[in-house]
Amino acid sequence: MQTTEYIDTLRREGGLLADAAERTGADVPVPTCPGWTTGDLVRHTGTFHRWAARIVAEALPGPVPEDPMPREPTGAELLPWFREGHGALVRTLRAADPGLDCWAFLPGAPSPLAFWARRQAHETAVHRVDAESARGGALSPLDAGFAADGIDELLSGFHARRSSRVRTGRPRVLRVRPDDTDAVWTVRLSPDAQPRAERTAAGPADCELSGPARDLYLLLWNRLPLDAVAVTGDRDLAGVWRASSAIT
């Protein structure tokens, strides 16, 4: 995907998140984020929008803590605060120099600007699903190509880091195969190292997850139950992913 496509998706997903939160109310529990209310979700996402915008706008070379808020926005202030920060992030990314040199924390993107546009688009899309889950009713559609890109970011980016907690008692292979895109991943799991994802269907797999890219994307982010997709082979291996793959 192009950077402009990520930014367009970020703009859309942030708007949907705010709309869902407005309909729901700030005190409603979020079933996909146990212990959180919709207000917590909106504050979390809005804080990270501001954090990312600062890194891009100031071309910061290293990680920085989240900016402390003088006080947490609540009540009638919350959604205008969220929309202001979301809009500022979109504008900052659109205005940024394509040659921007700043800190990024995952492999796989062709440039720091592409990284931040991609990361914030997916961050916001997943939390939009959280907001809509709290609201109830059908989820808004998600493009299959974008969902497949999010699977790749998760498997080849987040879980390529040593901090990934996904381990198996012996070497195992998990395959992820969307049925509405030509992407496929083979993920090699072991007791001692982080998962290693390859864009290939070569070789046997102990367990395969298949279904629409959107459902696999949300399943791998633990936003849908395992029975939302087809599971072939060792279902317990899919359970290991569910139990240990949370990103913190």
Side-chain angles (χ1 to χ4, degrees):
M1 291 179 63
Q2 299 297 312
T3 299
T4 54
E5 295 176 281
Y6 289 124
I7 298 171
D8 287 343
T9 301
L10 167 63
R11 180 189 56 78
R12 172 183 176 272
E13 294 293 326
L16 289 171
L17 191 162
D19 289 347
E22 187 170 34
R23 294 181 187 181
T24 303
D27 297 326
V28 174
V30 179
T32 49
C33 297
W36 278 18
T37 65
T38 302
D40 296 327
L41 177 72
V42 170
R43 278 185 289 272
H44 166 85
T45 312
T47 297
F48 276 91
H49 285 170
R50 285 165 166 77
W51 177 73
R54 180 185 168 203
I55 291 168
V56 172
E58 299 179 22
L60 297 178
V64 294
E66 301 163 29
D67 289 333
M69 289 181 282
R71 58 185 180 83
E72 288 194 343
T74 58
E77 300 174 321
L78 181 57
L79 284 174
W81 172 86
F82 173 84
R83 289 188 169 106
E84 178 187 13
H86 170 246
L89 174 60
V90 170
R91 292 190 298 274
T92 296
L93 292 169
R94 287 200 196 284
D97 186 332
L100 169 74
D101 185 14
C102 70
W103 177 65
F105 62 86
L106 292 180
S111 70
L113 178 59
F115 164 80
W116 282 109
R118 182 194 203 195
R119 176 80 292 277
Q120 289 302 306
H122 287 297
E123 173 89 5
T124 307
V126 169
H127 287 319
R128 180 269 293 173
V129 169
D130 293 330
E132 291 185 342
S133 297
R135 180 203 63 197
L139 299 176
S140 299
L142 196 66
D143 176 75
F146 176 74
D149 179 81
I151 294 170
D152 191 68
E153 186 201 43
L154 181 63
L155 297 180
S156 303
F158 278 105
H159 286 288
R161 302 184 300 173
R162 291 186 180 275
S163 58
S164 173
R165 296 182 297 108
V166 181
R167 301 288 187 272
T168 50
R170 57 191 172 89
R172 308 285 277 163
V173 177
L174 175 68
R175 183 157 293 138
V176 179
R177 190 191 299 269
D179 59 21
D180 52 357
T181 76
D182 59 4
V184 60
W185 294 264
T186 295
V187 187
R188 303 190 185 281
L189 307 170
S190 73
D192 304 316
Q194 66 268 31
R196 182 163 57 89
E198 302 169 348
R199 290 289 293 267
T200 179
D206 297 294
C207 177
E208 179 169 303
L209 306 176
S210 60
R214 186 205 75 157
D215 292 350
L216 289 167
Y217 173 60
L218 296 178
L219 170 74
L220 292 169
W221 274 107
N222 292 328
R223 263 57 185 191
L224 286 180
L226 195 54
D227 59 9
V229 303
V231 183
T232 306
D234 184 358
R235 193 177 181 91
D236 288 344
L237 183 56
V240 169
W241 181 274
R242 298 280 293 173
S244 59
S245 65
I247 302 297
T248 57

